[in-house]
Amino acid sequence: SFVLTQPPAVSAAPGQTANITCGGPNVADNSVHWYQQTPGQAPVLVVYDDSDRPSGIPERFSGSNSGNTATLTISRVEAGDEADYYCQVWDISSDHVVFGGGTKLTVL
Amino acid sequence: QITLKESGPALVKPTQTLTLTCTFSGFSLTTSGVGVGWIRQPPGKALEWLALTYWNDDRRYSPSLKNRLTITKDPSKNQVVLTLTTMDPVDAATYYCAHRHWGGVFDYWGQGTLVTVSS
């Protein structure tokens, strides 16, 4: 079945840019969605359909998807962005949902 | 406003069957394209998709757990029920239900319910 690979950890200093990747074979053929999860809380959707933002999500959060890698980019990182981030696709071929293993973003 | 809330036992014994209910508001499970999914997260670990039910009564299950899972819906009560048989300590997790929108995105999530498996 489809597998999404994320780096376990990413770090960035306040004001810098954090890039979190999500790899999978021809992942660009699928729409990728990104969730932010802080400790003890339910996941929150921050980017959907590769690059769209739900209402209320800051413009600092953006996404892209090309070839075998989707990327969540957080610009001008803030302390409040420290969280776990998960990518997710709906594998059309199997009609199954797949989550990546998650990436912990640390704000230095 | 879409809301979802999970309910069920906080503690189950090994070999027992877990039954969880997701009660939702703000949408109808008879609307084309809508679905409700279940996702779990063991302590300190990643999210794991379990099951999904659609407006048209279609259902999908995680390949690794399909033999133990059943998802049903009752649109008249705005509820979706998940059962997981033969519980084991490795099934201990926070279980979430979520609203599935077109394109397979989970745009609204419940708060989650923590299930412990112990004798």
Side-chain angles (χ1 to χ4, degrees), chain A residues 1-107:
Chain A
S1 60
F2 203 80
V3 176
L4 295 174
T5 301
Q6 298 183 238
V10 165
S11 62
Q16 299 302 305
T17 297
N19 291 301
I20 299 173
T21 59
C22 175
N26 298 313
V27 71
D29 292 342
N30 301 272
S31 290
V32 176
H33 318 297
W34 291 92
Y35 304 89
Q36 176 195 65
Q37 187 181 35
T38 52
Q41 301 299 311
V44 173
L45 180 67
V46 292
V47 166
Y48 67 97
D49 291 350
D50 298 335
S51 59
D52 290 333
R53 274 177 290 104
S55 60
I57 300 301
E59 291 183 5
R60 302 184 297 106
F61 289 82
S62 62
S64 63
N65 189 5
S66 178
N68 296 321
T69 304
T71 303
L72 173 69
T73 299
I74 308 172
S75 305
R76 302 181 299 283
V77 165
E78 302 175 356
D81 298 332
E82 190 163 281
D84 294 324
Y85 291 85
Y86 294 91
C87 60
Q88 177 247 314
V89 302
W90 170 41
D91 182 9
I92 297 174
S93 62
S94 64
D95 201 4
H96 289 156
V97 175
V98 181
F99 284 96
T103 298
K104 181 176 179 57
L105 172 64
T106 298
V107 180

Side-chain angles (χ1 to χ4, degrees), chain B residues 13 20 54 58 95 118:
Chain B
K13 292 180 168 54
L20 296 173
Y54 291 97
D58 209 357
Y95 286 75
S118 175

Side-chain angles (χ1 to χ4, degrees), chain B residues 16-21 38 50-51 59 61 65-72 80-87 95:
Chain B
Q16 285 186 335
T17 294
L18 172 68
T19 299
L20 296 173
T21 300
W38 285 93
L50 300 176
R59 307 170 196 181
Y61 296 101
L65 292 166
K66 62 181 297 185
N67 292 333
R68 299 172 53 206
L69 285 168
T70 303
I71 188 169
T72 59
V80 172
V81 175
L82 182 78
T83 62
L84 180 60
T85 61
T86 323
M87 291 290 284
Y95 286 75

Side-chain angles (χ1 to χ4, degrees), chain B:
Chain B
Q1 180 190 2
I2 290 176
T3 65
L4 305 97
K5 187 171 184 178
E6 306 86 353
S7 59
L11 176 67
V12 297
K13 292 180 168 54
T15 75
Q16 285 186 335
T17 294
L18 172 68
T19 299
L20 296 173
T21 300
C22 175
T23 303
F24 58 85
S25 63
F27 68 95
S28 171
L29 246 181
T30 61
T31 300
S32 180
V34 170
V36 171
W38 285 93
I39 302 101
R40 72 178 180 181
Q41 184 174 39
K45 296 191 177 181
L47 300 171
E48 178 186 19
W49 170 68
L50 300 176
L52 187 56
T53 185
Y54 291 97
W55 83 101
N56 60 359
D57 212 29
D58 209 357
R59 307 170 196 181
R60 293 290 183 269
Y61 296 101
S62 164
S64 61
L65 292 166
K66 62 181 297 185
N67 292 333
R68 299 172 53 206
L69 285 168
T70 303
I71 188 169
T72 59
K73 63 181 175 67
D74 187 339
S76 66
K77 294 183 179 179
N78 281 356
Q79 290 183 333
V80 172
V81 175
L82 182 78
T83 62
L84 180 60
T85 61
T86 323
M87 291 290 284
D88 182 271
V90 300
D91 295 312
T94 296
Y95 286 75
Y96 297 98
C97 64
H99 172 269
R100 178 204 181 270
H101 192 55
W102 279 108
V105 62
F106 293 110
D107 51 357
Y108 295 91
W109 294 62
Q111 65 190 22
T113 186
L114 178 62
V115 178
T116 301
V117 184
S118 175
S119 54

